[in-house]
Amino acid sequence: MSNPHRSGPRSLGLPFPGQTGPLNAITDLPGLEVGHVTLISDEGEGAVRTGVTAVLPCGKSGAHTVPAAWFSLNGNGEMTGTAWIDESGGLTGPVMLTNTHSVGVVRDAVVAWGRARGWAEAWSLPVVAETYDGFLNDINGFHVTQQHAFGALDTAAGGPVAQGNVGGGTGMIVSGFKGGIGTSSRVLDGAVPYTVGVLVQANFGAREDLTILGVPLGQEIPDLLPEREDTGGRDGSIIIIVATDAPLLPHQLRRLARRAALGLARTGSVAHNGSGDIFLAFSTATPEIDGGLEHWRALPNASLDPLFKATVEATEEAIINALFAAETMTGLHGRTVHALPHTRTLEAMWKYGRRGDRGQGQKPSF
């Protein structure tokens, strides 16, 4: 599970660029809520290492529909509801993250949850996205239930977000290390300090490609590979959720979603053939309704560069935060995936001059 004793990379001196919000999380967006249900039980053939994560753009009592857009960098994955996002320019309801074979039950649960809360729509097209956790989890045991999805939705809240082996990220792997849920944020300078928040469910990459702040970490730590029959480990997926309170139109949000690919690339991803790299961006700045008309406000395209930069930076850091938060896990058939070793990682960062405290004159003791 997420371990509060596993320090984050910023607290260990890694010099990520940009100004974060107070939580360095997607919940730095006012009103946005995140909830997890984590399922860890049994060993051997029936090992359960999975869960559900819910992201509610404006909370359980806020705006029901927000402007949104999505982008697929590589489409060996699933995110339901995207055809209607393309058509309408809006995201209605929460965003749910789970494992590949639980998309259906979670989707149906969102419909039932919304009906119970009095959603007025006669129909619903929920957004549920997945990554594959079948190396560690008995994915064909269908252990995620409607009640688990309800739990993630009902317990969603603002404040700090648990990261690593939690929720939908419980059984996920990044470049042969334990991965999972990660989050980060950026606050922009200016008269109105807009915020960009990112949450990832990370389950992608090959060890030799893993990069942190430009350091070829996967080449520095080639061991501690998953204990598995095949050692390729190249395929996988990542779901990236980008949220902002900046007033943007759907076509501008699609531009924002595309920039998440640049943050992903900074960590060494090449979007392998078998990877589902699917990104969603939304704005919590909803239009005003007056006399049957929607009154939209939007930033001019020429002012979007700071938002693009913030998205790239927050995406990169969210992925690295997932790696630093996750713990070693043993799951299905006794397979083990090791956590990123903090001490060796920091020594590699020092070697390449990427430690924030390097200028203090002597190598720190790890």
Side-chain angles (χ1 to χ4, degrees):
M1 297 178 66
S2 177
N3 186 345
H5 301 296
R6 278 182 66 80
S7 301
R10 277 185 180 260
S11 66
L12 293 172
L14 270 64
F16 286 96
Q19 175 62 49
T20 74
L23 300 172
N24 193 18
I26 195 170
T27 45
D28 282 318
L29 271 292
L32 190 148
E33 297 177 349
V34 174
H36 301 298
V37 165
T38 302
L39 306 177
I40 298 177
S41 64
D42 299 328
E43 305 294 336
E45 293 185 6
V48 180
R49 307 287 188 271
T50 194
V52 186
T53 293
V55 178
L56 286 74
C58 297
K60 289 180 283 291
S61 59
H64 190 36
T65 299
V66 295
W70 74 290
F71 173 68
S72 173
L73 178 65
N74 196 71
N76 191 356
E78 179 65 281
M79 179 182 285
T80 67
T82 52
W84 183 235
I85 290 175
D86 276 345
E87 190 73 19
S88 67
L91 163 68
T92 299
V95 179
M96 307 294 288
L97 307 177
T98 190
N99 75 65
T100 306
H101 292 180
S102 296
V103 170
V105 68
V106 173
R107 179 200 175 280
D108 292 349
V110 174
V111 176
W113 186 80
R115 296 290 292 174
R117 296 184 66 83
W119 287 1
E121 292 87 349
W123 50 271
S124 179
L125 294 171
V127 173
V128 182
E130 56 78 28
T131 57
Y132 179 79
D133 59 11
F135 181 74
L136 287 169
N137 175 53
D138 175 28
I139 194 169
N140 290 319
F142 306 107
H143 300 284
V144 174
T145 68
Q146 184 181 74
Q147 291 302 317
H148 295 136
F150 288 168
L153 289 160
D154 289 337
T155 61
V161 176
Q163 301 180 76
N165 303 1
V166 294
T170 300
M172 304 307 169
I173 304 168
V174 172
S175 297
F177 288 120
K178 189 65 189 67
I181 298 294
T183 190
S184 184
S185 69
R186 292 295 184 274
V187 177
L188 307 183
D189 295 330
V192 180
Y194 295 120
T195 298
V196 173
V198 171
L199 184 140
V200 303
Q201 182 165 293
N203 185 59
F204 70 94
R207 174 63 63 85
E208 64 265 26
D209 297 328
L210 177 61
T211 304
I212 296 181
L213 291 173
V215 173
L217 191 71
Q219 298 175 34
E220 292 292 320
I221 310 178
D223 55 325
L224 296 179
L225 289 166
E227 297 170 15
R228 60 193 303 169
E229 295 78 20
D230 63 287
T231 57
R234 297 173 182 278
D235 292 339
S237 298
I238 184 168
I239 302 298
I240 302 176
I241 309 301
V242 181
T244 184
D245 55 2
L248 299 177
L249 298 173
H251 74 277
Q252 296 174 314
L253 288 163
R254 182 171 174 82
R255 299 182 72 192
L256 212 64
R258 289 193 185 108
R259 267 57 182 191
L262 300 177
L264 175 61
R266 287 186 177 187
T267 67
S269 171
V270 299
H272 289 109
N273 174 69
S275 191
D277 306 327
I278 305 176
F279 318 144
L280 174 72
F282 61 80
S283 170
T284 59
T286 55
E288 297 179 0
I289 308 297
D290 181 23
L293 296 176
E294 292 185 348
H295 297 273
W296 288 78
R297 298 169 56 249
L299 295 175
N301 285 330
S303 68
L304 297 185
D305 282 353
L307 291 169
F308 293 161
K309 183 178 182 181
T311 299
V312 174
E313 291 178 352
T315 298
E316 177 188 24
E317 186 169 356
I319 294 167
I320 304 308
N321 284 344
L323 277 165
F324 269 77
E327 295 180 275
T328 297
M329 176 173 283
T330 299
L332 189 68
H333 304 310
R335 297 165 176 164
T336 296
V337 180
H338 298 281
L340 180 78
H342 284 192
T343 297
R344 292 178 64 185
T345 298
L346 296 176
E347 288 172 345
M349 302 304 291
W350 175 273
K351 173 182 174 181
Y352 285 84
R354 298 299 289 163
R355 284 274 296 169
D357 51 9
R358 195 180 195 283
Q360 294 180 1
Q362 59 182 6
K363 181 177 178 178
S365 59
F366 301 120

mmCIF file of all heavy atoms in Angstrom, residues 10 16-30 159-161 163 183-189 193-198 243 245 310 313-314 317 321:
data_model
loop_
_atom_site.group_PDB
_atom_site.id
_atom_site.type_symbol
_atom_site.label_atom_id
_atom_site.label_comp_id
_atom_site.label_asym_id
_atom_site.label_seq_id
_atom_site.Cartn_x
_atom_site.Cartn_y
_atom_site.Cartn_z
ATOM 1 N N ARG A 10 10.681 15.242 -4.035
ATOM 2 C CA ARG A 10 11.015 16.632 -3.698
ATOM 3 C C ARG A 10 11.633 16.726 -2.305
ATOM 4 O O ARG A 10 12.605 17.450 -2.085
ATOM 5 C CB ARG A 10 9.779 17.525 -3.781
ATOM 6 C CG ARG A 10 9.457 18.009 -5.186
ATOM 7 C CD ARG A 10 8.289 18.978 -5.182
ATOM 8 N NE ARG A 10 8.001 19.428 -6.531
ATOM 9 C CZ ARG A 10 8.391 20.594 -7.041
ATOM 10 N NH1 ARG A 10 9.100 21.431 -6.300
ATOM 11 N NH2 ARG A 10 8.085 20.930 -8.288
ATOM 12 N N PHE A 16 12.765 19.154 -9.151
ATOM 13 C CA PHE A 16 11.729 19.299 -10.176
ATOM 14 C C PHE A 16 11.436 20.772 -10.408
ATOM 15 O O PHE A 16 11.371 21.556 -9.463
ATOM 16 C CB PHE A 16 10.452 18.578 -9.744
ATOM 17 C CG PHE A 16 10.539 17.089 -9.825
ATOM 18 C CD1 PHE A 16 10.850 16.343 -8.707
ATOM 19 C CD2 PHE A 16 10.322 16.426 -11.024
ATOM 20 C CE1 PHE A 16 10.944 14.967 -8.774
ATOM 21 C CE2 PHE A 16 10.414 15.056 -11.108
ATOM 22 C CZ PHE A 16 10.723 14.318 -9.987
ATOM 23 N N PRO A 17 11.220 21.157 -11.670
ATOM 24 C CA PRO A 17 10.937 22.561 -11.959
ATOM 25 C C PRO A 17 9.491 22.913 -11.643
ATOM 26 O O PRO A 17 8.626 22.045 -11.553
ATOM 27 C CB PRO A 17 11.186 22.653 -13.471
ATOM 28 C CG PRO A 17 10.844 21.282 -13.977
ATOM 29 C CD PRO A 17 11.299 20.332 -12.890
ATOM 30 N N GLY A 18 9.243 24.192 -11.470
ATOM 31 C CA GLY A 18 7.876 24.676 -11.328
ATOM 32 C C GLY A 18 7.424 24.803 -9.889
ATOM 33 O O GLY A 18 7.960 24.166 -8.979
ATOM 34 N N GLN A 19 6.393 25.626 -9.699
ATOM 35 C CA GLN A 19 5.815 25.881 -8.387
ATOM 36 C C GLN A 19 4.594 24.999 -8.201
ATOM 37 O O GLN A 19 3.629 25.094 -8.950
ATOM 38 C CB GLN A 19 5.419 27.350 -8.249
ATOM 39 C CG GLN A 19 4.707 27.686 -6.951
ATOM 40 C CD GLN A 19 5.586 27.434 -5.743
ATOM 41 O OE1 GLN A 19 6.730 27.863 -5.696
ATOM 42 N NE2 GLN A 19 5.042 26.737 -4.747
ATOM 43 N N THR A 20 4.628 24.136 -7.204
ATOM 44 C CA THR A 20 3.474 23.274 -6.941
ATOM 45 C C THR A 20 2.443 24.002 -6.087
ATOM 46 O O THR A 20 2.727 25.034 -5.466
ATOM 47 C CB THR A 20 3.880 21.986 -6.202
ATOM 48 O OG1 THR A 20 4.179 22.304 -4.840
ATOM 49 C CG2 THR A 20 5.095 21.337 -6.861
ATOM 50 N N GLY A 21 1.240 23.427 -6.058
ATOM 51 C CA GLY A 21 0.260 23.871 -5.091
ATOM 52 C C GLY A 21 0.624 23.351 -3.715
ATOM 53 O O GLY A 21 1.592 22.603 -3.546
ATOM 54 N N PRO A 22 -0.135 23.721 -2.679
ATOM 55 C CA PRO A 22 0.220 23.333 -1.312
ATOM 56 C C PRO A 22 0.236 21.826 -1.095
ATOM 57 O O PRO A 22 0.978 21.327 -0.234
ATOM 58 C CB PRO A 22 -0.854 24.011 -0.448
ATOM 59 C CG PRO A 22 -1.955 24.384 -1.390
ATOM 60 C CD PRO A 22 -1.309 24.623 -2.705
ATOM 61 N N LEU A 23 -0.552 21.068 -1.852
ATOM 62 C CA LEU A 23 -0.597 19.619 -1.696
ATOM 63 C C LEU A 23 0.239 18.891 -2.728
ATOM 64 O O LEU A 23 0.458 17.682 -2.609
ATOM 65 C CB LEU A 23 -2.050 19.125 -1.809
ATOM 66 C CG LEU A 23 -3.044 19.669 -0.790
ATOM 67 C CD1 LEU A 23 -4.462 19.247 -1.166
ATOM 68 C CD2 LEU A 23 -2.695 19.170 0.615
ATOM 69 N N ASN A 24 0.701 19.592 -3.748
ATOM 70 C CA ASN A 24 1.364 18.968 -4.893
ATOM 71 C C ASN A 24 0.521 17.794 -5.396
ATOM 72 O O ASN A 24 1.022 16.686 -5.614
ATOM 73 C CB ASN A 24 2.772 18.493 -4.551
ATOM 74 C CG ASN A 24 3.576 18.134 -5.799
ATOM 75 O OD1 ASN A 24 3.244 18.529 -6.915
ATOM 76 N ND2 ASN A 24 4.645 17.370 -5.613
ATOM 77 N N ALA A 25 -0.751 18.056 -5.606
ATOM 78 C CA ALA A 25 -1.699 17.011 -5.982
ATOM 79 C C ALA A 25 -2.809 17.605 -6.834
ATOM 80 O O ALA A 25 -3.044 18.821 -6.834
ATOM 81 C CB ALA A 25 -2.293 16.342 -4.746
ATOM 82 N N ILE A 26 -3.510 16.735 -7.538
ATOM 83 C CA ILE A 26 -4.631 17.175 -8.365
ATOM 84 C C ILE A 26 -5.712 17.845 -7.515
ATOM 85 O O ILE A 26 -6.477 18.676 -7.999
ATOM 86 C CB ILE A 26 -5.205 15.988 -9.167
ATOM 87 C CG1 ILE A 26 -6.116 16.482 -10.304
ATOM 88 C CG2 ILE A 26 -5.890 14.988 -8.259
ATOM 89 C CD1 ILE A 26 -6.527 15.381 -11.276
ATOM 90 N N THR A 27 -5.759 17.512 -6.229
ATOM 91 C CA THR A 27 -6.730 18.121 -5.319
ATOM 92 C C THR A 27 -6.365 19.550 -4.925
ATOM 93 O O THR A 27 -7.082 20.160 -4.125
ATOM 94 C CB THR A 27 -6.896 17.250 -4.061
ATOM 95 O OG1 THR A 27 -5.608 16.845 -3.600
ATOM 96 C CG2 THR A 27 -7.721 16.009 -4.363
ATOM 97 N N ASP A 28 -5.285 20.097 -5.478
ATOM 98 C CA ASP A 28 -5.063 21.538 -5.351
ATOM 99 C C ASP A 28 -6.093 22.322 -6.153
ATOM 100 O O ASP A 28 -6.219 23.537 -5.972
ATOM 101 C CB ASP A 28 -3.648 21.903 -5.800
ATOM 102 C CG ASP A 28 -2.609 21.586 -4.740
ATOM 103 O OD1 ASP A 28 -2.873 21.856 -3.549
ATOM 104 O OD2 ASP A 28 -1.535 21.065 -5.091
ATOM 105 N N LEU A 29 -6.828 21.645 -7.040
ATOM 106 C CA LEU A 29 -7.971 22.263 -7.717
ATOM 107 C C LEU A 29 -9.118 22.369 -6.720
ATOM 108 O O LEU A 29 -9.547 21.354 -6.162
ATOM 109 C CB LEU A 29 -8.413 21.419 -8.910
ATOM 110 C CG LEU A 29 -7.778 21.667 -10.273
ATOM 111 C CD1 LEU A 29 -8.174 23.008 -10.849
ATOM 112 C CD2 LEU A 29 -6.285 21.527 -10.210
ATOM 113 N N PRO A 30 -9.616 23.579 -6.450
ATOM 114 C CA PRO A 30 -10.694 23.720 -5.464
ATOM 115 C C PRO A 30 -11.903 22.863 -5.839
ATOM 116 O O PRO A 30 -12.377 22.873 -6.971
ATOM 117 C CB PRO A 30 -11.041 25.220 -5.539
ATOM 118 C CG PRO A 30 -9.786 25.871 -6.037
ATOM 119 C CD PRO A 30 -9.178 24.886 -6.992
ATOM 120 N N GLY A 159 -8.001 17.317 -0.261
ATOM 121 C CA GLY A 159 -6.880 17.080 0.642
ATOM 122 C C GLY A 159 -5.834 16.177 0.026
ATOM 123 O O GLY A 159 -5.853 15.892 -1.181
ATOM 124 N N PRO A 160 -4.876 15.702 0.844
ATOM 125 C CA PRO A 160 -3.790 14.864 0.326
ATOM 126 C C PRO A 160 -4.325 13.610 -0.357
ATOM 127 O O PRO A 160 -5.341 13.040 0.049
ATOM 128 C CB PRO A 160 -2.994 14.509 1.586
ATOM 129 C CG PRO A 160 -3.319 15.597 2.559
ATOM 130 C CD PRO A 160 -4.739 15.980 2.288
ATOM 131 N N VAL A 161 -3.619 13.176 -1.400
ATOM 132 C CA VAL A 161 -4.021 11.998 -2.177
ATOM 133 C C VAL A 161 -3.029 10.869 -1.908
ATOM 134 O O VAL A 161 -1.819 11.044 -2.097
ATOM 135 C CB VAL A 161 -4.055 12.319 -3.686
ATOM 136 C CG1 VAL A 161 -4.372 11.070 -4.506
ATOM 137 C CG2 VAL A 161 -5.075 13.424 -3.981
ATOM 138 N N GLN A 163 -0.847 7.732 -2.715
ATOM 139 C CA GLN A 163 -0.177 7.402 -3.965
ATOM 140 C C GLN A 163 0.500 6.037 -3.861
ATOM 141 O O GLN A 163 0.659 5.481 -2.784
ATOM 142 C CB GLN A 163 0.864 8.479 -4.305
ATOM 143 C CG GLN A 163 0.279 9.879 -4.453
ATOM 144 C CD GLN A 163 1.333 10.911 -4.794
ATOM 145 O OE1 GLN A 163 1.800 10.994 -5.924
ATOM 146 N NE2 GLN A 163 1.708 11.729 -3.814
ATOM 147 N N THR A 183 0.476 11.742 -8.377
ATOM 148 C CA THR A 183 -0.168 13.028 -8.640
ATOM 149 C C THR A 183 0.814 14.171 -8.400
ATOM 150 O O THR A 183 1.809 14.028 -7.671
ATOM 151 C CB THR A 183 -1.432 13.203 -7.770
ATOM 152 O OG1 THR A 183 -2.169 14.355 -8.193
ATOM 153 C CG2 THR A 183 -1.080 13.314 -6.300
ATOM 154 N N SER A 184 0.539 15.304 -9.032
ATOM 155 C CA SER A 184 1.355 16.505 -8.856
ATOM 156 C C SER A 184 0.539 17.699 -9.340
ATOM 157 O O SER A 184 -0.507 17.537 -9.993
ATOM 158 C CB SER A 184 2.664 16.400 -9.641
ATOM 159 O OG SER A 184 3.503 17.521 -9.401
ATOM 160 N N SER A 185 1.006 18.892 -9.041
ATOM 161 C CA SER A 185 0.304 20.104 -9.481
ATOM 162 C C SER A 185 1.291 21.217 -9.761
ATOM 163 O O SER A 185 2.449 21.170 -9.352
ATOM 164 C CB SER A 185 -0.706 20.569 -8.422
ATOM 165 O OG SER A 185 -0.038 21.052 -7.265
ATOM 166 N N ARG A 186 0.806 22.215 -10.468
ATOM 167 C CA ARG A 186 1.557 23.434 -10.719
ATOM 168 C C ARG A 186 0.621 24.633 -10.578
ATOM 169 O O ARG A 186 -0.530 24.583 -11.021
ATOM 170 C CB ARG A 186 2.161 23.450 -12.128
ATOM 171 C CG ARG A 186 3.266 22.430 -12.356
ATOM 172 C CD ARG A 186 4.483 22.716 -11.512
ATOM 173 N NE ARG A 186 5.590 21.808 -11.792
ATOM 174 C CZ ARG A 186 5.752 20.607 -11.231
ATOM 175 N NH1 ARG A 186 4.839 20.164 -10.369
ATOM 176 N NH2 ARG A 186 6.786 19.857 -11.516
ATOM 177 N N VAL A 187 1.137 25.690 -9.948
ATOM 178 C CA VAL A 187 0.411 26.954 -9.824
ATOM 179 C C VAL A 187 1.132 27.986 -10.675
ATOM 180 O O VAL A 187 2.353 28.171 -10.542
ATOM 181 C CB VAL A 187 0.330 27.416 -8.356
ATOM 182 C CG1 VAL A 187 -0.355 28.764 -8.263
ATOM 183 C CG2 VAL A 187 -0.419 26.384 -7.520
ATOM 184 N N LEU A 188 0.395 28.636 -11.550
ATOM 185 C CA LEU A 188 0.985 29.597 -12.474
ATOM 186 C C LEU A 188 1.058 30.972 -11.850
ATOM 187 O O LEU A 188 0.189 31.374 -11.062
ATOM 188 C CB LEU A 188 0.156 29.660 -13.763
ATOM 189 C CG LEU A 188 -0.111 28.324 -14.461
ATOM 190 C CD1 LEU A 188 -0.865 28.558 -15.759
ATOM 191 C CD2 LEU A 188 1.189 27.590 -14.725
ATOM 192 N N ASP A 189 2.101 31.708 -12.219
ATOM 193 C CA ASP A 189 2.204 33.099 -11.815
ATOM 194 C C ASP A 189 1.249 33.936 -12.658
ATOM 195 O O ASP A 189 0.811 33.537 -13.731
ATOM 196 C CB ASP A 189 3.637 33.607 -12.021
ATOM 197 C CG ASP A 189 4.624 32.894 -11.108
ATOM 198 O OD1 ASP A 189 4.207 32.494 -10.009
ATOM 199 O OD2 ASP A 189 5.788 32.718 -11.525
ATOM 200 N N PRO A 193 -3.778 33.220 -10.481
ATOM 201 C CA PRO A 193 -2.865 32.070 -10.406
ATOM 202 C C PRO A 193 -3.588 30.753 -10.697
ATOM 203 O O PRO A 193 -3.973 30.026 -9.798
ATOM 204 C CB PRO A 193 -2.366 32.126 -8.963
ATOM 205 C CG PRO A 193 -3.495 32.753 -8.199
ATOM 206 C CD PRO A 193 -4.139 33.731 -9.143
ATOM 207 N N TYR A 194 -3.765 30.466 -11.962
ATOM 208 C CA TYR A 194 -4.431 29.224 -12.342
ATOM 209 C C TYR A 194 -3.612 28.023 -11.888
ATOM 210 O O TYR A 194 -2.389 28.074 -11.765
ATOM 211 C CB TYR A 194 -4.636 29.168 -13.851
ATOM 212 C CG TYR A 194 -5.574 30.222 -14.384
ATOM 213 C CD1 TYR A 194 -5.143 31.158 -15.324
ATOM 214 C CD2 TYR A 194 -6.895 30.288 -13.952
ATOM 215 C CE1 TYR A 194 -5.999 32.128 -15.819
ATOM 216 C CE2 TYR A 194 -7.754 31.265 -14.430
ATOM 217 C CZ TYR A 194 -7.307 32.178 -15.365
ATOM 218 O OH TYR A 194 -8.150 33.135 -15.847
ATOM 219 N N THR A 195 -4.312 26.920 -11.655
ATOM 220 C CA THR A 195 -3.692 25.685 -11.204
ATOM 221 C C THR A 195 -3.897 24.586 -12.239
ATOM 222 O O THR A 195 -4.969 24.496 -12.848
ATOM 223 C CB THR A 195 -4.293 25.246 -9.854
ATOM 224 O OG1 THR A 195 -4.018 26.250 -8.870
ATOM 225 C CG2 THR A 195 -3.713 23.919 -9.393
ATOM 226 N N VAL A 196 -2.874 23.772 -12.431
ATOM 227 C CA VAL A 196 -2.973 22.553 -13.227
ATOM 228 C C VAL A 196 -2.638 21.390 -12.309
ATOM 229 O O VAL A 196 -1.610 21.405 -11.620
ATOM 230 C CB VAL A 196 -2.007 22.566 -14.430
ATOM 231 C CG1 VAL A 196 -2.009 21.211 -15.140
ATOM 232 C CG2 VAL A 196 -2.389 23.672 -15.405
ATOM 233 N N GLY A 197 -3.507 20.390 -12.272
ATOM 234 C CA GLY A 197 -3.259 19.196 -11.485
ATOM 235 C C GLY A 197 -3.280 17.967 -12.367
ATOM 236 O O GLY A 197 -4.061 17.897 -13.322
ATOM 237 N N VAL A 198 -2.433 17.003 -12.067
ATOM 238 C CA VAL A 198 -2.345 15.770 -12.848
ATOM 239 C C VAL A 198 -2.422 14.577 -11.911
ATOM 240 O O VAL A 198 -1.815 14.587 -10.830
ATOM 241 C CB VAL A 198 -1.033 15.719 -13.665
ATOM 242 C CG1 VAL A 198 -0.838 14.340 -14.299
ATOM 243 C CG2 VAL A 198 -1.029 16.799 -14.741
ATOM 244 N N ALA A 243 -6.263 18.227 -14.946
ATOM 245 C CA ALA A 243 -7.343 19.108 -14.501
ATOM 246 C C ALA A 243 -6.811 20.523 -14.341
ATOM 247 O O ALA A 243 -5.662 20.721 -13.930
ATOM 248 C CB ALA A 243 -7.917 18.621 -13.175
ATOM 249 N N ASP A 245 -8.246 24.835 -13.407
ATOM 250 C CA ASP A 245 -9.320 25.788 -13.162
ATOM 251 C C ASP A 245 -9.253 26.957 -14.137
ATOM 252 O O ASP A 245 -10.042 27.899 -14.036
ATOM 253 C CB ASP A 245 -9.299 26.286 -11.717
ATOM 254 C CG ASP A 245 -7.957 26.874 -11.307
ATOM 255 O OD1 ASP A 245 -7.032 26.940 -12.147
ATOM 256 O OD2 ASP A 245 -7.814 27.259 -10.126
ATOM 257 N N ALA A 310 3.109 23.706 -17.583
ATOM 258 C CA ALA A 310 2.672 23.163 -16.301
ATOM 259 C C ALA A 310 2.201 21.726 -16.452
ATOM 260 O O ALA A 310 2.468 20.875 -15.591
ATOM 261 C CB ALA A 310 1.555 24.030 -15.719
ATOM 262 N N GLU A 313 5.308 19.429 -16.882
ATOM 263 C CA GLU A 313 6.040 19.276 -15.624
ATOM 264 C C GLU A 313 5.269 18.426 -14.616
ATOM 265 O O GLU A 313 5.842 17.556 -13.956
ATOM 266 C CB GLU A 313 6.324 20.656 -15.031
ATOM 267 C CG GLU A 313 7.322 21.482 -15.820
ATOM 268 C CD GLU A 313 7.538 22.861 -15.237
ATOM 269 O OE1 GLU A 313 6.803 23.245 -14.291
ATOM 270 O OE2 GLU A 313 8.444 23.574 -15.716
ATOM 271 N N ALA A 314 3.981 18.697 -14.475
ATOM 272 C CA ALA A 314 3.193 17.973 -13.479
ATOM 273 C C ALA A 314 3.018 16.510 -13.868
ATOM 274 O O ALA A 314 2.974 15.631 -12.994
ATOM 275 C CB ALA A 314 1.836 18.643 -13.293
ATOM 276 N N GLU A 317 6.317 14.716 -12.982
ATOM 277 C CA GLU A 317 6.487 14.554 -11.541
ATOM 278 C C GLU A 317 5.470 13.582 -10.960
ATOM 279 O O GLU A 317 5.788 12.815 -10.036
ATOM 280 C CB GLU A 317 6.395 15.905 -10.827
ATOM 281 C CG GLU A 317 6.722 15.806 -9.349
ATOM 282 C CD GLU A 317 6.888 17.155 -8.662
ATOM 283 O OE1 GLU A 317 6.819 18.194 -9.357
ATOM 284 O OE2 GLU A 317 7.082 17.158 -7.427
ATOM 285 N N ASN A 321 6.436 10.503 -8.727
ATOM 286 C CA ASN A 321 5.844 10.383 -7.392
ATOM 287 C C ASN A 321 5.234 9.000 -7.179
ATOM 288 O O ASN A 321 5.309 8.437 -6.077
ATOM 289 C CB ASN A 321 4.786 11.460 -7.180
ATOM 290 C CG ASN A 321 5.385 12.825 -6.902
ATOM 291 O OD1 ASN A 321 6.560 12.944 -6.569
ATOM 292 N ND2 ASN A 321 4.583 13.869 -7.060
#
